[in-house]
Amino acid sequence: MHQRTVPCQGYFAPQKIEEALEILSRYGKEIKVIAGGTDLLIQYYDRLYEVGSWLDLKNIKELKEIKISKNQMEIGAMVTHAQLEKSEDIKKYYPVLSQAAADIGSPQIRNRGTIGGNIVNASPAGDLLAPLMAHDAQFKLLSVQKEELISAENFFLGPKKTILKPAQLLTRIFLPLPSERTYGSWIKIGKRKALIIATITLALVVEMAEDNKTIKDVRTCLGSVAPTPIEIKEIREKMIGKNFSQLDFNQLGQIVEDKISPIDDIRGTREYRKNVAKNIMINALEEIDSAGRERDY
Ligand SMILES: Cc1cc2nc3c(=O)[nH]c(=O)nc-3n(C[C@H](O)[C@H](O)[C@H](O)COP(=O)(O)OP(=O)(O)OC[C@H]3O[C@@H](n4cnc5c(N)ncnc54)[C@H](O)[C@@H]3O)c2cc1C
């Protein structure tokens, strides 16, 4: 093991958010927040940075809750992937998010890794990011001075870069409760069946109008095709106001292919990713169409 140049000076594991915020404001950039540690400890041992002190969130119980309040779902930043995968409320209202959590890593990683860590780590391949964006998530950022609510769309700046400041904690994630006529599809493509880092992910969420025939809203969000998760907004104008039977799935897939500009990397070439993006969009539309027909829309 390498000799580290900066010895670790302190470890804090407060029980209250207020205490955590106070410690953060005292130490600023000198302290590192740790949740499950599944990203952080690998980066630490790879010597991506030095850490003076650690602020461990593991004892803050209120950050581990999933609850419904005022027409929205509230998910604490320390909720694990295993909790998301198993929660009956998440399965009922956000199956796309529940399936994405179930696809993460291995049981060990899902038991330790948290939604907050996945968000703040801001990997373009973070599996929860496209589903959160597709469900119009808002993130609550707290510091000693103030509270901010920011949409998933405005939170990510680039690979491992977000608008979160050193004195801020991500405390909660809010998702509006979808209508019961909302349908979703989650597709993750990677090279192996288990422990894969995504080559490309798609979260497609479609809300039908009260007649259950006309498309009222749609969000098409992809991961691993750009420095941040993205929504293909052009899909909205092609789908909203139409019935599924009026859609040209091939054309919609082509729009997704044309609108993304992924990079070549070890997990797949640019051309491969573009082609896969088109095909998974078509598959997701087919899945939602047939699920909807079974439920008689
Ligand atoms: C073997 C393996 C397989 C994996 N497979 C997948 C996979 O399939 N899909 C996937 O998406 N990811 C995968 N990951 C990555 C990782 O498990 C997830 O990103 C996980 O959600 C990170 O959460 P964590 O709680 O462990 O975060 P940590 O490692 O504790 O923290 C990550 C970052 O977020 C910051 N942070 C955490 N919580 C907060 C907060 N509340 N407020 C402010 N800052 C915070 C930390 O300071 C750090 O910078 C894998 C990792 C490993 C080691």
Side-chain angles (χ1 to χ4, degrees), residues 67-74 94 138 174-177:
K67 61 182 183 201
I68 297 175
S69 61
K70 293 190 208 137
N71 273 338
Q72 58 183 357
M73 186 67 70
E74 200 179 305
Y94 315 99
Q138 302 265 328
F174 296 104
L175 301 173
L177 284 188

Side-chain angles (χ1 to χ4, degrees), residues 23-158:
I23 294 165
L24 258 192
S25 78
R26 203 158 9 112
Y27 285 81
K29 284 187 183 156
E30 301 303 313
I31 199 160
K32 196 79 185 155
V33 173
I34 181 161
T38 60
D39 274 318
L40 201 51
L41 291 178
I42 287 177
Q43 294 160 9
Y44 179 67
Y45 288 116
D46 281 348
R47 299 179 64 95
L48 293 188
Y49 43 74
E50 300 291 350
V51 176
S53 304
W54 297 99
L55 173 59
D56 195 335
L57 304 180
K58 71 177 181 189
N59 291 332
I60 308 181
K61 290 205 182 79
E62 57 181 306
L63 294 184
K64 298 181 182 176
E65 291 169 356
I66 299 175
K67 61 182 183 201
I68 297 175
S69 61
K70 293 190 208 137
N71 273 338
Q72 58 183 357
M73 186 67 70
E74 200 179 305
I75 305 173
M78 287 296 286
V79 163
T80 62
H81 305 310
Q83 268 178 282
L84 283 178
E85 176 190 355
K86 289 172 195 150
S87 154
E88 289 305 324
D89 280 338
I90 301 294
K91 275 193 233 170
K92 175 176 169 195
Y93 292 107
Y94 315 99
V96 163
L97 182 62
S98 159
Q99 287 160 22
D103 271 349
I104 289 181
S106 60
Q108 292 90 332
I109 295 293
R110 292 197 289 280
N111 281 330
R112 282 205 69 87
T114 63
I115 183 170
N118 202 254
I119 294 168
V120 178
N121 191 55
S123 159
D127 281 338
L128 301 186
L129 310 186
L132 288 170
M133 210 180 219
H135 278 292
D136 200 14
Q138 302 265 328
F139 303 151
K140 183 167 169 180
L141 312 183
L142 267 189
S143 68
V144 169
Q145 284 85 20
K146 65 171 183 173
E147 175 180 325
E148 256 180 87
L149 258 193
I150 178 107
S151 66
E153 190 178 356
N154 294 323
F155 181 76
F156 301 100
L157 299 176

Side-chain angles (χ1 to χ4, degrees), residues 17 25 52 74 102 107 113 160 169 241 250 257 269 277 281 295:
I17 295 179
S25 78
E74 200 179 305
K160 309 234 179 288
L169 270 187
N250 199 52
E257 175 172 342
T269 62
M281 177 64 180
R295 277 174 263 180

Side-chain angles (χ1 to χ4, degrees), residues 219-240:
R219 282 171 183 259
T220 313
C221 298
L222 290 106
S224 281
V225 295
T228 64
I230 53 164
E231 184 194 351
I232 310 291
K233 291 193 172 151
E234 290 74 8
I235 294 292
R236 291 193 196 180
E237 68 207 46
K238 297 281 176 208
M239 286 180 65
I240 292 175

